[in-house]
Amino acid sequence: MPNGAKSLQAPWNRSEIGGTRRKGAEPEAIFCARLIQYDMENDMEISGRGFTSELFALRGAAGEYLSAFCDPWEALEGIGKWLWDLGGALSGGFRELSRGVWVHERAKIAESAALAPPCIVCAGAEVRHNAFVRGRAYVGEGCVVGNATELKNVILLDGAKLPHFNYAGDSIVGDAHLGAGVILSNVRADRMPVTVRLPHAAIPTGRKKLGAMVGDGAEVGCQCVLNPGTVMGRNSRAEPLSSVRGYVPPAHLYKKDGSLVPLL
């Protein structure tokens, strides 16, 4: 812990605060990040209502869904059901191209793209040549799903750009940009459950598949790999060819050697 940092750890488990407890997770360690306050170096603070609101502007249908979760990775389990329920109630320019695939009339879908249900593609989004949307995918307004990009069990919030040869599985991407070849890896090599490592705690999620949470304004350099459970704060950066892991604070650059540099 940095010098002078203060930590207030919540003594409650999720069953006591109305949350969920995942099988195989340590009950005492699964706690809501909004019940922890941590004063970081450079006078940054993680506190308040959890990482969901710290990372993303919670607008529209996806914002409403995510706002029910203290930490964004909690939302991954229910994406499929949420999409089926939401798709069945859509109107205002949406049409169901095939069962469980809803696309707005102002979205652009390449003929060579493959979309599996359930999937929603919102107004102004582009799904380009040879993109593979494997299902359980929400593609927000103005998003780009580019050539040979693959999605699975993801939420792309408005403005997310995955334009070239990207993979995003079991992840949430805000209004951010992934450079060519960026991979959001979602499975550990040893197949063990993923732990999210924040400055104040290591939080076991109980999930064997968990990709990355990429905050609004983040820029991820070409050919980066974001290892399972990575969290990138708002307006953070990752140097090209980096193997990113853990937590990248807002307005910091993650360098290839694993060091963090504040952005001016």
Side-chain angles (χ1 to χ4, degrees):
M1 184 178 297
N3 291 334
K6 297 175 292 184
S7 177
L8 174 63
Q9 293 199 1
W12 308 277
N13 61 45
R14 289 200 182 281
S15 63
E16 294 171 339
I17 62 175
T20 59
R21 182 186 296 174
R22 187 177 302 282
K23 181 179 179 182
E26 298 177 18
E28 291 77 15
I30 303 293
F31 46 79
C32 191
R34 64 182 166 85
L35 299 178
I36 297 172
Q37 293 184 346
Y38 185 90
D39 295 317
M40 296 176 61
E41 291 178 293
N42 304 311
D43 295 322
M44 292 186 301
E45 184 178 285
I46 300 171
S47 63
R49 296 177 305 195
F51 270 131
T52 304
S53 57
E54 295 284 346
L55 290 173
F56 309 117
L58 301 178
R59 297 186 295 262
E64 182 179 354
Y65 174 67
L66 288 173
S67 66
F69 301 94
C70 175
D71 298 318
W73 50 87
E74 296 172 335
L76 296 172
E77 186 71 26
I79 287 177
K81 182 181 185 304
W82 169 63
L83 288 171
W84 282 112
D85 293 345
L86 177 61
L90 288 173
S91 59
F94 281 92
R95 56 197 176 102
E96 192 171 8
L97 294 186
S98 59
R99 184 178 181 274
V101 176
W102 295 274
V103 176
H104 196 275
E105 62 187 10
R106 291 196 287 110
K108 297 180 180 178
I109 311 294
E111 290 185 6
S112 58
L115 281 68
C119 171
I120 294 174
V121 182
C122 297
E126 291 185 57
V127 181
R128 294 175 177 168
H129 178 66
N130 280 345
F132 182 23
V133 181
R134 289 169 49 190
R136 288 174 292 159
Y138 178 89
V139 181
E141 294 187 7
C143 289
V144 173
V145 180
N147 175 43
T149 291
E150 181 178 347
L151 305 179
K152 188 271 293 185
N153 201 48
V154 297
I155 294 176
L156 304 186
L157 294 167
D158 294 352
K161 303 293 192 297
L162 290 73
H164 312 286
F165 308 103
N166 304 119
Y167 173 75
D170 302 281
S171 299
I172 301 173
V173 182
D175 184 3
H177 176 263
L178 308 189
V182 169
I183 303 297
L184 308 187
S185 176
N186 63 335
V187 180
R188 289 171 48 130
D190 59 8
R191 301 300 192 270
M192 294 297 290
V194 176
T195 295
V196 175
R197 301 188 182 279
L198 304 177
H200 55 269
I203 305 179
T205 66
R207 294 187 60 89
K208 288 191 176 180
K209 292 187 177 182
L210 173 59
M213 308 288 117
V214 183
D216 290 342
E219 289 276 350
V220 185
C222 293
Q223 300 292 328
C224 284
V225 174
L226 273 58
N227 287 278
T230 295
V231 177
M232 292 196 64
R234 291 194 191 214
N235 302 309
S236 60
R237 304 286 185 269
E239 196 172 55
L241 301 175
S242 298
S243 178
V244 185
R245 62 184 68 247
Y247 174 64
V248 183
H252 274 66
L253 170 67
Y254 188 102
K255 297 180 69 66
K256 284 187 290 185
D257 62 4
S259 62
L260 291 167
V261 178
L263 296 170
L264 299 178

